[in-house]
Amino acid sequence: VRVYEPRRHLVSDLLVDVRRWADREVLVQGPIRLTYAEHERAVLRVAGALRAEGIGAQDPVMFYARNGIEWVVGYWAVLRLGAIAVLGNGWWSAAEVGHAVATIKPKLVLTDEWLAERLPEGVDSLLTSSLTRLLSDELPVPEIPEPPAKETDPALVIFTSGTTGPPKGAMIPHRGVVVNLHNMLNVTRRLPQDIPDDQPANSTLHTLPLFHVGGIQALGMNFMSGSKMVFLEGRFNAGEVLRLIERERITLWAC
C-alpha cells in the first residue's frame, strides 16, 4: 500500500515538492529559460503584482490567453494567493467569452494582444506581456503569506465544451486537482515521495491548450516529475516544431 506523506492540501503546495530540482530548467519559450528556482521566484513577483491589482483569496481570475511562460507563472501566482484560476477557452468567440465573463464575474482577466479585443467592455484586464519583466531574476522577490485556503476551497474553474448549450464552468477544489495528479502518478506505482531526486528529466514540447483539463494535467505532471516544458512562440509552425525537437532534445510531445 502506498501512502502519500506528506500529503499536500493545496495546489500551490506542490511548488514545495519541486524545490529539489531548483537548478533544472522547467520552462522554455523563445529566448526565455527558467529554472525551477527562478520560476518560483517569478511566481512570487507576479503574485505581488496581482495583489497590487486587488486580487486576494477566492477572487476569480480568468485566463484568456495563448499558451506561454507568462500564462504558467500567472496560473501558479493566482493559486499562491489562494485565488481561483478560471480557464477561459482561447478559441471562444466574443459572444462565448462574454457569456463566461457574465457567469463567473472575474475580478481580473489575464489576456493577450490577440484575444483582448474579444473581451466585453468594462472588464478589468491585464496583458500577459506586462508580466514578462517580472520573470527577470534581477528584480526583488516580495514576501507573500501562505494562501488562506482549505483543500475543499475551489482552485480551478474549467469549462465544458458547450456541445448542447453555452459552456458551463465546472468548479474543482484544491483536493480534486491534487488527488487527480496523484492518481495519475499512482498508475505508475509511485507517489511524489517515490520519485528519486535524480529522476531523469523529460523534455516535453507542450502544445496542448492550457485551458483544457488535459493541458493542466500535463502541466502538473511535468512539474511533479522534474521535467522541462517547451512552448512554441506564436501559432503552430511545423518548422519550429522540428527545430525545437532537435535543439531541446524533446522526449515527449503533449499535443
Side-chain angles (χ1 to χ4, degrees):
V1 177
R2 287 177 297 279
V3 178
Y4 182 24
E5 182 62 38
R7 185 170 72 83
R8 301 305 179 192
H9 296 272
L10 304 180
V11 181
S12 57
D13 289 343
L14 300 176
L15 292 173
V16 176
D17 291 331
V18 301
R19 287 175 181 165
R20 53 183 165 157
W21 295 306
D23 296 330
R24 288 190 184 186
E25 286 188 333
V26 61
L27 297 174
V28 174
Q29 187 177 37
I32 303 175
R33 312 182 76 91
L34 296 183
T35 65
Y36 276 88
E38 291 167 341
H39 167 262
E40 186 172 7
R41 291 191 288 268
V43 166
L44 293 174
R45 291 189 203 96
V46 173
L50 294 177
R51 186 174 58 179
E53 295 285 334
I55 302 301
Q58 294 301 292
D59 284 335
V61 178
M62 179 177 281
F63 289 76
Y64 187 58
R66 295 184 180 185
N67 284 10
I69 289 179
E70 292 85 355
W71 195 110
V72 175
V73 174
Y75 166 80
W76 288 105
V78 166
L79 295 173
R80 185 65 177 75
L81 290 172
I84 304 168
V86 181
L87 311 187
N89 188 328
W91 299 330
W92 277 338
S93 65
E96 288 170 322
V97 71
H99 170 78
V101 167
T103 302
I104 301 296
K105 297 179 175 57
K107 192 162 185 178
L108 183 72
V109 178
L110 284 174
T111 187
D112 56 35
E113 291 83 353
W114 297 277
L115 300 176
E117 62 183 16
R118 300 183 195 171
L119 291 173
E121 291 186 10
V123 175
D124 288 336
S125 63
L126 187 68
L127 291 177
T128 52
S129 58
S130 70
L131 305 179
T132 304
R133 67 178 188 84
L134 299 176
L135 304 179
S136 171
D137 230 21
E138 296 179 358
L139 298 175
V141 179
E143 291 285 339
I144 303 293
E146 292 300 315
K150 304 185 296 295
E151 65 179 355
T152 53
D153 288 338
L156 305 181
V157 173
I158 299 180
F159 286 86
T160 63
S161 63
T163 305
T164 59
K168 298 175 177 62
M171 194 171 290
I172 305 175
H174 285 268
R175 183 173 183 176
V177 178
V178 173
V179 167
N180 185 56
L181 291 172
H182 293 168
N183 282 338
M184 294 176 70
L185 276 177
N186 195 44
V187 170
T188 63
R189 298 186 179 279
R190 59 183 180 165
L191 286 173
Q193 77 272 10
D194 300 320
I195 300 174
D197 292 349
D198 59 354
Q199 163 90 356
N202 279 311
S203 181
T204 302
L205 180 60
H206 193 119
T207 57
L208 277 170
L210 287 166
F211 60 76
H212 190 273
V213 64
I216 283 295
Q217 286 175 343
L219 176 67
M221 290 297 291
N222 275 285
F223 262 85
M224 295 180 71
S225 60
S227 296
K228 176 177 73 175
M229 283 160 284
V230 181
F231 293 98
L232 300 176
E233 288 189 279
R235 298 176 66 88
F236 182 86
N237 180 284
E240 184 186 3
V241 166
L242 294 174
R243 286 190 294 273
L244 287 174
I245 288 174
E246 182 176 8
R247 189 186 78 191
E248 303 297 334
R249 299 184 179 274
I250 298 298
T251 54
L252 294 173
W253 187 357
C255 59

mmCIF file of all heavy atoms in Angstrom, residues 230-252:
data_model
loop_
_atom_site.group_PDB
_atom_site.id
_atom_site.type_symbol
_atom_site.label_atom_id
_atom_site.label_comp_id
_atom_site.label_asym_id
_atom_site.label_seq_id
_atom_site.Cartn_x
_atom_site.Cartn_y
_atom_site.Cartn_z
ATOM 1 N N VAL A 230 8.559 22.961 -22.952
ATOM 2 C CA VAL A 230 8.953 23.870 -24.029
ATOM 3 C C VAL A 230 7.700 24.313 -24.769
ATOM 4 O O VAL A 230 6.862 23.481 -25.148
ATOM 5 C CB VAL A 230 9.925 23.177 -25.008
ATOM 6 C CG1 VAL A 230 10.341 24.136 -26.117
ATOM 7 C CG2 VAL A 230 11.144 22.636 -24.256
ATOM 8 N N PHE A 231 7.535 25.619 -24.946
ATOM 9 C CA PHE A 231 6.380 26.178 -25.649
ATOM 10 C C PHE A 231 6.811 26.800 -26.975
ATOM 11 O O PHE A 231 7.907 27.356 -27.096
ATOM 12 C CB PHE A 231 5.694 27.262 -24.798
ATOM 13 C CG PHE A 231 5.048 26.735 -23.551
ATOM 14 C CD1 PHE A 231 5.695 26.814 -22.337
ATOM 15 C CD2 PHE A 231 3.786 26.156 -23.593
ATOM 16 C CE1 PHE A 231 5.107 26.333 -21.179
ATOM 17 C CE2 PHE A 231 3.181 25.673 -22.448
ATOM 18 C CZ PHE A 231 3.845 25.751 -21.241
ATOM 19 N N LEU A 232 5.916 26.712 -27.953
ATOM 20 C CA LEU A 232 6.136 27.383 -29.226
ATOM 21 C C LEU A 232 6.002 28.888 -29.037
ATOM 22 O O LEU A 232 5.359 29.366 -28.104
ATOM 23 C CB LEU A 232 5.105 26.923 -30.258
ATOM 24 C CG LEU A 232 5.057 25.438 -30.613
ATOM 25 C CD1 LEU A 232 3.891 25.184 -31.576
ATOM 26 C CD2 LEU A 232 6.358 24.976 -31.224
ATOM 27 N N GLU A 233 6.595 29.632 -29.947
ATOM 28 C CA GLU A 233 6.374 31.075 -30.000
ATOM 29 C C GLU A 233 5.290 31.338 -31.053
ATOM 30 O O GLU A 233 5.470 31.026 -32.224
ATOM 31 C CB GLU A 233 7.650 31.803 -30.384
ATOM 32 C CG GLU A 233 8.706 31.841 -29.316
ATOM 33 C CD GLU A 233 9.847 32.770 -29.693
ATOM 34 O OE1 GLU A 233 10.722 32.351 -30.466
ATOM 35 O OE2 GLU A 233 9.842 33.925 -29.223
ATOM 36 N N GLY A 234 4.171 31.896 -30.627
ATOM 37 C CA GLY A 234 3.116 32.208 -31.583
ATOM 38 C C GLY A 234 2.363 30.969 -32.037
ATOM 39 O O GLY A 234 2.258 29.971 -31.322
ATOM 40 N N ARG A 235 1.827 31.018 -33.244
ATOM 41 C CA ARG A 235 0.989 29.960 -33.779
ATOM 42 C C ARG A 235 1.816 28.715 -34.106
ATOM 43 O O ARG A 235 3.037 28.781 -34.221
ATOM 44 C CB ARG A 235 0.258 30.458 -35.037
ATOM 45 C CG ARG A 235 -0.682 31.626 -34.784
ATOM 46 C CD ARG A 235 -1.305 32.122 -36.084
ATOM 47 N NE ARG A 235 -2.185 31.101 -36.650
ATOM 48 C CZ ARG A 235 -3.476 30.973 -36.342
ATOM 49 N NH1 ARG A 235 -4.020 31.775 -35.452
ATOM 50 N NH2 ARG A 235 -4.214 30.048 -36.917
ATOM 51 N N PHE A 236 1.101 27.604 -34.284
ATOM 52 C CA PHE A 236 1.773 26.351 -34.613
ATOM 53 C C PHE A 236 2.533 26.487 -35.928
ATOM 54 O O PHE A 236 2.018 27.004 -36.917
ATOM 55 C CB PHE A 236 0.753 25.216 -34.728
ATOM 56 C CG PHE A 236 1.368 23.881 -35.030
ATOM 57 C CD1 PHE A 236 1.838 23.073 -34.010
ATOM 58 C CD2 PHE A 236 1.507 23.452 -36.341
ATOM 59 C CE1 PHE A 236 2.427 21.845 -34.284
ATOM 60 C CE2 PHE A 236 2.093 22.221 -36.625
ATOM 61 C CZ PHE A 236 2.557 21.425 -35.593
ATOM 62 N N ASN A 237 3.751 26.001 -35.904
ATOM 63 C CA ASN A 237 4.599 26.042 -37.094
ATOM 64 C C ASN A 237 5.415 24.759 -37.134
ATOM 65 O O ASN A 237 6.203 24.488 -36.219
ATOM 66 C CB ASN A 237 5.514 27.272 -37.050
ATOM 67 C CG ASN A 237 6.416 27.366 -38.259
ATOM 68 O OD1 ASN A 237 7.401 26.637 -38.356
ATOM 69 N ND2 ASN A 237 6.097 28.269 -39.174
ATOM 70 N N ALA A 238 5.205 23.951 -38.167
ATOM 71 C CA ALA A 238 5.866 22.647 -38.240
ATOM 72 C C ALA A 238 7.381 22.776 -38.251
ATOM 73 O O ALA A 238 8.098 21.963 -37.652
ATOM 74 C CB ALA A 238 5.390 21.894 -39.481
ATOM 75 N N GLY A 239 7.890 23.807 -38.922
ATOM 76 C CA GLY A 239 9.331 24.004 -38.963
ATOM 77 C C GLY A 239 9.899 24.284 -37.581
ATOM 78 O O GLY A 239 10.957 23.754 -37.215
ATOM 79 N N GLU A 240 9.183 25.128 -36.819
ATOM 80 C CA GLU A 240 9.649 25.430 -35.461
ATOM 81 C C GLU A 240 9.609 24.176 -34.595
ATOM 82 O O GLU A 240 10.502 23.943 -33.771
ATOM 83 C CB GLU A 240 8.801 26.534 -34.823
ATOM 84 C CG GLU A 240 9.332 26.945 -33.438
ATOM 85 C CD GLU A 240 8.445 27.936 -32.711
ATOM 86 O OE1 GLU A 240 7.364 28.290 -33.234
ATOM 87 O OE2 GLU A 240 8.832 28.344 -31.599
ATOM 88 N N VAL A 241 8.570 23.357 -34.769
ATOM 89 C CA VAL A 241 8.473 22.106 -34.008
ATOM 90 C C VAL A 241 9.707 21.245 -34.247
ATOM 91 O O VAL A 241 10.329 20.726 -33.309
ATOM 92 C CB VAL A 241 7.186 21.335 -34.385
ATOM 93 C CG1 VAL A 241 7.245 19.903 -33.860
ATOM 94 C CG2 VAL A 241 5.959 22.049 -33.835
ATOM 95 N N LEU A 242 10.091 21.085 -35.495
ATOM 96 C CA LEU A 242 11.244 20.251 -35.812
ATOM 97 C C LEU A 242 12.533 20.833 -35.231
ATOM 98 O O LEU A 242 13.392 20.102 -34.720
ATOM 99 C CB LEU A 242 11.368 20.084 -37.325
ATOM 100 C CG LEU A 242 10.233 19.292 -38.002
ATOM 101 C CD1 LEU A 242 10.386 19.314 -39.508
ATOM 102 C CD2 LEU A 242 10.193 17.861 -37.486
ATOM 103 N N ARG A 243 12.644 22.163 -35.286
ATOM 104 C CA ARG A 243 13.844 22.799 -34.723
ATOM 105 C C ARG A 243 13.902 22.591 -33.211
ATOM 106 O O ARG A 243 14.970 22.315 -32.652
ATOM 107 C CB ARG A 243 13.859 24.288 -35.073
ATOM 108 C CG ARG A 243 14.212 24.585 -36.532
ATOM 109 C CD ARG A 243 14.459 26.066 -36.745
ATOM 110 N NE ARG A 243 13.255 26.859 -36.541
ATOM 111 C CZ ARG A 243 12.350 27.110 -37.490
ATOM 112 N NH1 ARG A 243 12.512 26.593 -38.701
ATOM 113 N NH2 ARG A 243 11.294 27.854 -37.241
ATOM 114 N N LEU A 244 12.740 22.727 -32.545
ATOM 115 C CA LEU A 244 12.712 22.573 -31.090
ATOM 116 C C LEU A 244 12.989 21.129 -30.685
ATOM 117 O O LEU A 244 13.657 20.875 -29.676
ATOM 118 C CB LEU A 244 11.364 23.029 -30.534
ATOM 119 C CG LEU A 244 11.113 24.531 -30.533
ATOM 120 C CD1 LEU A 244 9.680 24.835 -30.105
ATOM 121 C CD2 LEU A 244 12.098 25.246 -29.608
ATOM 122 N N ILE A 245 12.453 20.183 -31.441
ATOM 123 C CA ILE A 245 12.701 18.769 -31.129
ATOM 124 C C ILE A 245 14.199 18.492 -31.122
ATOM 125 O O ILE A 245 14.713 17.794 -30.240
ATOM 126 C CB ILE A 245 11.972 17.857 -32.133
ATOM 127 C CG1 ILE A 245 10.453 17.894 -31.878
ATOM 128 C CG2 ILE A 245 12.493 16.433 -32.053
ATOM 129 C CD1 ILE A 245 9.631 17.147 -32.910
ATOM 130 N N GLU A 246 14.900 19.071 -32.080
ATOM 131 C CA GLU A 246 16.347 18.853 -32.159
ATOM 132 C C GLU A 246 17.090 19.665 -31.104
ATOM 133 O O GLU A 246 17.937 19.132 -30.378
ATOM 134 C CB GLU A 246 16.852 19.219 -33.551
ATOM 135 C CG GLU A 246 18.354 18.984 -33.729
ATOM 136 C CD GLU A 246 18.828 19.266 -35.137
ATOM 137 O OE1 GLU A 246 18.035 19.789 -35.950
ATOM 138 O OE2 GLU A 246 19.999 18.964 -35.433
ATOM 139 N N ARG A 247 16.761 20.960 -30.993
ATOM 140 C CA ARG A 247 17.520 21.836 -30.093
ATOM 141 C C ARG A 247 17.307 21.480 -28.627
ATOM 142 O O ARG A 247 18.257 21.472 -27.833
ATOM 143 C CB ARG A 247 17.109 23.302 -30.325
ATOM 144 C CG ARG A 247 17.995 24.311 -29.585
ATOM 145 C CD ARG A 247 17.454 25.720 -29.730
ATOM 146 N NE ARG A 247 16.317 25.948 -28.843
ATOM 147 C CZ ARG A 247 15.510 27.014 -28.910
ATOM 148 N NH1 ARG A 247 15.708 27.925 -29.860
ATOM 149 N NH2 ARG A 247 14.513 27.159 -28.064
ATOM 150 N N GLU A 248 16.053 21.199 -28.244
ATOM 151 C CA GLU A 248 15.724 20.948 -26.838
ATOM 152 C C GLU A 248 15.720 19.459 -26.504
ATOM 153 O O GLU A 248 15.376 19.085 -25.387
ATOM 154 C CB GLU A 248 14.378 21.561 -26.489
ATOM 155 C CG GLU A 248 14.270 23.057 -26.737
ATOM 156 C CD GLU A 248 15.227 23.873 -25.881
ATOM 157 O OE1 GLU A 248 15.610 23.387 -24.784
ATOM 158 O OE2 GLU A 248 15.613 24.982 -26.305
ATOM 159 N N ARG A 249 16.062 18.622 -27.469
ATOM 160 C CA ARG A 249 16.096 17.173 -27.260
ATOM 161 C C ARG A 249 14.773 16.674 -26.673
ATOM 162 O O ARG A 249 14.740 16.043 -25.605
ATOM 163 C CB ARG A 249 17.285 16.781 -26.370
ATOM 164 C CG ARG A 249 18.622 17.142 -26.975
ATOM 165 C CD ARG A 249 19.788 16.668 -26.123
ATOM 166 N NE ARG A 249 21.062 17.020 -26.745
ATOM 167 C CZ ARG A 249 21.682 16.299 -27.656
ATOM 168 N NH1 ARG A 249 21.128 15.168 -28.087
ATOM 169 N NH2 ARG A 249 22.836 16.671 -28.161
ATOM 170 N N ILE A 250 13.692 16.988 -27.376
ATOM 171 C CA ILE A 250 12.348 16.667 -26.915
ATOM 172 C C ILE A 250 12.187 15.153 -26.806
ATOM 173 O O ILE A 250 12.504 14.399 -27.725
ATOM 174 C CB ILE A 250 11.293 17.243 -27.887
ATOM 175 C CG1 ILE A 250 11.394 18.782 -27.950
ATOM 176 C CG2 ILE A 250 9.896 16.802 -27.481
ATOM 177 C CD1 ILE A 250 11.130 19.490 -26.638
ATOM 178 N N THR A 251 11.686 14.720 -25.640
ATOM 179 C CA THR A 251 11.429 13.293 -25.413
ATOM 180 C C THR A 251 9.930 12.986 -25.378
ATOM 181 O O THR A 251 9.531 11.840 -25.556
ATOM 182 C CB THR A 251 12.065 12.831 -24.093
ATOM 183 O OG1 THR A 251 11.611 13.670 -23.009
ATOM 184 C CG2 THR A 251 13.587 12.917 -24.178
ATOM 185 N N LEU A 252 9.102 13.989 -25.099
ATOM 186 C CA LEU A 252 7.654 13.822 -25.075
ATOM 187 C C LEU A 252 7.013 14.997 -25.792
ATOM 188 O O LEU A 252 7.526 16.119 -25.737
ATOM 189 C CB LEU A 252 7.107 13.759 -23.643
ATOM 190 C CG LEU A 252 7.489 12.564 -22.780
ATOM 191 C CD1 LEU A 252 7.006 12.766 -21.352
ATOM 192 C CD2 LEU A 252 6.923 11.265 -23.357
#
